[in-house]
Amino acid sequence: MPDRVGPAAEATTRRPGFFERHAGKFALSLLITLALWYALHKGGLKIVPEGGDFKQVRWWVLPVYFVIFFVMTWFRSVRWRFLLRSIADVPQKRLFAVSCIGFAAILLLPFRIGEIVRPLLIRTPARERTPGSAARPITLAAATSSVVAERIIDGLYLSVVLALALWLVETVHPLPDHVVGLRISVSDVRWSGFSMLGLFTLAFATIAVFYFARSWAHRATLAVIGKISAKLAERLARLFENFADGLHVLGHAKDAFGFFVETSIYWGLNVLGVWLVAWGCGVTHLNGTSPTFGEACALVGMLGCTILIPGPPGMVGVFQAGLYAAMTMYYPTDVVTGPGAAFVFLLYASQVLASFIAGGFGLLLEGGVIEVLEQA
């Protein structure tokens, strides 16, 4: 007669659920949210603006922004095909659906845990892999390396745009000592922008060396890091080699050009949308002139800097802090805390709403929540 598995044995073999495995991250993200909310509130900045801050809003810009956002999301999604093409040709409709779900997950979950959703959904499930088939399966490792490469290229692209904006776009004179409402110096904000360029240049150069000179890079890592720990050196070398696999796009000029063009369209539409909402909310300079496209580049770039901070669900706090930090360099304080507060709120609310609408649409295209959970 077979032995019965008792409750104690079942408890030891039960796999912890998603929220149990990430409980620490959720708790820490809550603390970060509360700290940022307190800092913004104490400094007189507003997560939710007052009624008078909306009096200059041109409300028709919001539906226009939604259109821009969805077109932007399309290019952000389908350019992934260039990174995956060395493995498989994935239909653009599928890339759009999976990406919309993934982008919503990034927004919904803390610490960008949602980044793993796209690789999980796009990978070829084990049950669909046919031994001996000419079609190559998309493994989780290959899909993840493509996403890492995309993130590093995006970071490098955006940091170049931000550095140029910080260098070329005229600021208010004199520059304030601190960000409006926050105990952060403006000089530190500008320094962080240039540091972002250095960080992503180094990251891209590292995986590029592992892509183009893998054997040499592996030996160099073992020789240098191995002096500290041979095991650590081997792990780092394998990690960078896996990340470098996502750069296969650089080996095909046509795909590399296509990826660059669609990445430029994606970020260009992103900046255009931010500029439109800022203008539509009545953000102006001291002399009453409207925001410039260069200033919108700085806003998007600085926002990209701040969301690198391990953030809470919805990026609440880090999103607002990034935009307030950038606006301090270009607009008067009364504009930042008035129409600027309306701009930050409406841009954030629009992006959250649009992301969840797109995510819901992606779920429908993928066959619903149950089907997606089974794929993951």
Side-chain angles (χ1 to χ4, degrees):
M1 190 172 180
D3 295 334
R4 290 187 178 182
V5 179
E10 288 182 358
T12 59
T13 58
R14 185 180 68 86
R15 184 187 177 191
F18 175 84
F19 289 101
E20 290 179 86
R21 297 197 305 273
H22 298 283
K25 294 178 181 177
F26 278 99
L28 184 57
S29 72
L30 177 60
L31 291 177
I32 293 173
T33 302
L34 294 175
L36 288 169
W37 192 294
Y38 174 77
L40 290 170
H41 180 74
K42 186 177 180 181
L45 297 176
K46 312 155 190 172
I47 297 290
V48 180
E50 300 168 357
D53 297 327
F54 295 99
K55 63 183 179 181
Q56 298 184 51
V57 174
R58 302 172 176 92
W59 292 102
W60 61 264
V61 305
L62 294 181
V64 176
Y65 177 72
F66 269 75
V67 173
I68 293 174
F69 183 90
F70 287 119
V71 176
M72 174 186 78
T73 301
W74 170 263
F75 282 104
R76 182 186 180 188
S77 304
V78 301
R79 65 188 175 135
W80 193 14
R81 71 189 185 279
F82 296 114
L83 298 173
L84 293 171
R85 188 164 284 168
S86 63
I87 308 168
D89 280 316
V90 183
Q92 294 186 33
K93 179 182 175 182
R94 176 106 206 281
L95 290 173
F96 181 67
V98 167
S99 295
C100 284
I101 297 169
F103 299 152
I106 292 170
L107 191 62
L108 182 64
L109 300 173
F111 294 96
R112 303 188 74 90
I113 297 172
E115 290 282 10
I116 194 60
V117 170
R118 281 199 297 159
L120 281 172
L121 293 181
I122 206 67
R123 78 193 191 335
T124 307
R127 64 179 181 274
E128 296 180 11
R129 299 178 189 178
T130 306
S133 172
R136 292 178 59 192
I138 302 176
T139 64
L140 181 60
T144 302
S145 68
S146 70
V147 170
V148 171
E150 178 192 85
R151 281 286 170 260
I152 292 176
I153 294 171
D154 268 347
L156 180 60
Y157 190 104
L158 187 59
S159 61
V160 169
V161 171
L162 175 59
L164 289 173
L166 291 174
W167 181 35
L168 298 174
V169 179
E170 186 177 359
T171 62
V172 294
H173 296 289
L175 268 176
D177 292 331
H178 292 81
V179 174
V180 173
L182 296 172
R183 300 179 67 179
I184 303 171
S185 72
V186 172
S187 61
D188 286 344
V189 170
R190 295 178 66 83
W191 178 84
S192 70
F194 291 112
S195 298
M196 181 180 174
L197 175 59
L199 173 67
F200 279 105
T201 299
L202 178 62
F204 180 79
T206 300
I207 64 171
V209 169
F210 271 89
Y211 177 73
F212 289 108
R214 178 164 302 202
S215 297
W216 177 87
H218 191 111
R219 292 195 304 271
T221 303
L222 296 182
V224 177
I225 307 298
K227 294 179 179 180
I228 303 172
S229 168
K231 184 179 291 187
L232 175 62
E234 187 63 38
R235 285 182 177 179
L236 286 176
R238 294 299 180 193
L239 179 67
F240 288 134
E241 286 173 352
N242 289 336
F243 289 166
D245 288 339
L247 289 183
H248 285 307
V249 67
L250 298 182
H252 304 85
K254 186 176 179 180
D255 287 343
F257 179 74
F259 182 78
F260 176 79
V261 168
E262 294 190 11
T263 295
S264 298
I265 294 172
Y266 156 53
W267 283 114
L269 289 172
N270 202 332
V271 173
L272 176 63
V274 168
W275 172 84
L276 177 67
V277 177
W279 171 82
C281 289
V283 175
T284 60
H285 303 104
L286 186 60
N287 61 4
T289 55
S290 299
T292 66
F293 194 78
E295 291 163 0
C297 288
L299 294 178
V300 172
M302 193 55 63
L303 183 58
C305 269
T306 54
I307 62 176
L308 291 176
I309 300 171
M315 300 180 189
V316 178
V318 293
F319 185 99
Q320 288 79 2
L323 288 177
Y324 279 124
M327 284 195 294
T328 298
M329 295 187 285
Y330 302 106
Y331 310 110
T333 299
D334 62 329
V335 171
V336 174
T337 58
F343 157 64
V344 173
F345 175 80
L346 290 176
L347 183 68
Y348 177 77
S350 297
Q351 288 197 7
V352 170
L353 178 59
S355 294
F356 286 140
I357 291 173
F361 182 66
L363 285 172
L364 288 176
L365 291 178
E366 283 292 285
V369 177
I370 302 300
E371 180 67 25
V372 168
L373 290 175
E374 288 178 352
Q375 290 181 55

